[in-house]
Amino acid sequence: MVLAEKKQNSLSLERKMKSDIELINSYLDKYLEIRYPHVIWEAMRYSVLAKGKRIRPVLMLESAKACHGDINNVIPAACALEMLHCQSLIHDDLPCMDNDDYRRGQLTNHKIYGEATAVLAGDALLAYAPQVILNYTPESVDRKILLQVLDEFLKAAGAMGIVGGQVVDIESESKEIDLNTFNYILMHKTGELFKFAVRAGALLSQAEEEKLNALTSYGEKIGYAFQIADDILDVTGTLEEIGKTPGKDHKLKKNTYVSFYGIEKSRKDLENICESAKKILVDSGINSELLFNIANNIVMKAVK
Ligand code: GRG
């Protein structure tokens, strides 16, 4: 595909995502109204309302639409997922973890509010996010389904999910690791939130088992692909493009897809994984242009 065509596709996807993003942003703004003590809500808002791509909540909304669900049933869980993601970014940027000064094109949370408040802002987001699911999901949603969504949310957030992935990632710095360990990191550090996004959209829309399973496989694949793209962009991207300091993975001696396989194979694998994600949608009759294009866009961003 020529560069102009790629840019055109990427722009049209962004336009289509725009209405989902605006909806999510308006609810995040509402759920995170400033209360006492002001500084903690301000610190939470600083990171959450910053210019993130919102890919996870958009995936949840689009998964629900693909299952003919009611968007109102999904908005609280989609916002909670974005809050959880932002918590992980705030903590990931701390000096005791990746130690970064920039995120989403602005100074990191601890650079503005100090380390103690940044830790607490992350903690507060993590505690508030499930409350958002419980308190704002419409009462018409079956409580059994709501509890399943909550259970899967907490699993994705904890030692069986993103925390597990981060711990193994940190333990593996400067070490040679085997393929199983490497895949564990990718699937847990990044994949779990993508998987949760599409599953929650389907569950809250009472999707049939077959569709739920197909969307789960799609979510796992694009989550894995998203981390490969992130690893490629850490090598090839600029601060303006990626909103954070490039080259950090190499500096921290991290095991990344690029350090494991090299840049060319990383690009090829990324393309193949996204192709197989799209094939899952086609084979299972899930007719969602946006879910299809999100898989395309993950490739486009990283394979220039
Ligand atoms: C969740 C309890 C709990 C702890 C967090 C710090 C940590 C444990 C995990 C770090 C996980 C991490 C930062 C993974 C990287 C995932 C990733 C590719 C992030 C970037 O996502 P984008 O590109 O960012 O969607 P924006 O800013 O656009 O939302």
Side-chain angles (χ1 to χ4, degrees):
M1 206 185 282
V2 291
L3 193 62
E5 202 182 333
K6 280 184 185 179
K7 276 201 174 143
Q8 196 58 40
N9 278 353
S10 171
L11 274 177
S12 102
L13 175 67
E14 269 167 36
R15 268 197 291 273
K16 284 180 187 141
M17 280 175 76
K18 200 166 168 251
S19 67
D20 282 351
I21 292 172
E22 283 172 357
L23 186 68
I24 292 298
N25 285 347
S26 70
Y27 276 90
L28 285 171
D29 186 35
K30 182 173 135 209
Y31 294 148
L32 289 167
E33 67 169 307
I34 305 263
R35 299 144 162 115
Y36 183 80
H38 295 174
V39 69
I40 196 68
W41 291 97
E42 278 162 12
M44 291 153 79
R45 286 175 68 87
Y46 175 78
S47 291
V48 176
L49 299 181
K51 211 172 176 312
K53 292 184 282 298
R54 310 280 188 243
I55 187 166
R56 297 158 189 81
V58 168
L59 278 168
M60 199 185 295
L61 295 187
E62 291 304 320
S63 166
K65 287 182 201 167
C67 299
H68 312 291
D70 179 350
I71 288 306
N72 293 311
N73 293 348
V74 182
I75 289 170
C79 289
L81 177 58
E82 184 65 17
M83 288 180 199
L84 167 64
H85 166 58
C86 291
Q87 177 270 333
S88 77
L89 300 181
I90 295 171
H91 284 187
D92 191 54
D93 291 333
L94 287 167
C96 62
M97 295 219 196
D98 274 10
N99 191 18
D100 216 320
D101 292 350
Y102 291 96
R103 173 70 73 177
R104 295 182 160 181
Q106 63 179 23
L107 284 169
T108 41
N109 200 289
H110 65 275
K111 284 276 156 193
I112 298 288
Y113 294 95
E115 277 180 50
T117 303
V119 169
L120 292 168
D123 293 344
L125 282 170
L126 187 60
Y128 184 53
Q131 264 196 296
V132 169
I133 299 181
L134 274 175
N135 295 334
Y136 292 106
T137 304
E139 280 178 16
S140 53
V141 171
D142 185 296
R143 294 297 99 174
K144 210 170 148 220
I145 292 176
L146 189 65
L147 282 181
Q148 183 176 352
V149 168
L150 203 55
D151 181 53
E152 294 197 14
F153 178 89
L154 295 169
K155 180 171 173 261
M160 292 177 198
I162 185 167
V163 171
Q166 179 78 347
V167 165
V168 180
D169 192 23
I170 291 171
E171 269 186 344
S172 306
E173 279 171 19
S174 312
K175 279 190 200 147
E176 262 189 40
I177 55 172
D178 62 29
L179 193 56
N180 283 342
T181 311
F182 180 63
N183 279 332
Y184 177 92
I185 296 171
L186 254 66
M187 286 191 272
H188 289 79
K189 192 177 82 163
T190 309
E192 283 294 321
L193 298 197
F194 278 77
K195 185 169 84 178
F196 173 74
V198 286
R199 279 185 64 80
L203 285 167
L204 290 163
S205 307
Q206 293 180 292
E208 59 271 31
E209 191 84 15
E210 221 173 279
K211 230 176 192 174
L212 176 66
N213 290 340
L215 282 164
T216 304
S217 307
Y218 164 85
E220 283 169 347
K221 285 197 187 292
I222 62 160
Y224 193 90
F226 194 82
Q227 186 58 53
I228 299 177
D230 197 68
D231 290 350
I232 294 173
L233 287 169
D234 185 72
V235 177
T236 63
T238 62
L239 175 65
E240 291 69 37
E241 279 169 336
I242 63 176
K244 57 180 179 172
T245 317
K248 286 300 294 285
D249 293 339
H250 182 68
K251 199 169 159 204
L252 292 170
K253 298 195 169 61
K254 287 218 179 241
N255 282 287
T256 70
Y257 210 88
V258 178
S259 73
F260 224 84
Y261 292 111
I263 197 97
E264 280 319 310
K265 181 169 163 54
S266 299
R267 286 181 169 140
K268 197 82 229 130
D269 288 357
L270 174 62
E271 278 182 312
N272 289 338
I273 294 166
C274 287
E275 278 308 312
S276 64
K278 289 189 289 184
K279 188 169 181 311
I280 290 169
L281 297 179
V282 174
D283 290 351
S284 51
I286 296 171
N287 194 9
S288 165
E289 197 192 354
L290 247 166
L291 291 180
F292 196 87
N293 281 336
I294 284 173
N296 275 338
N297 199 250
I298 293 173
V299 178
M300 274 183 243
K301 283 240 154 76
V303 182
K304 290 183 204 163

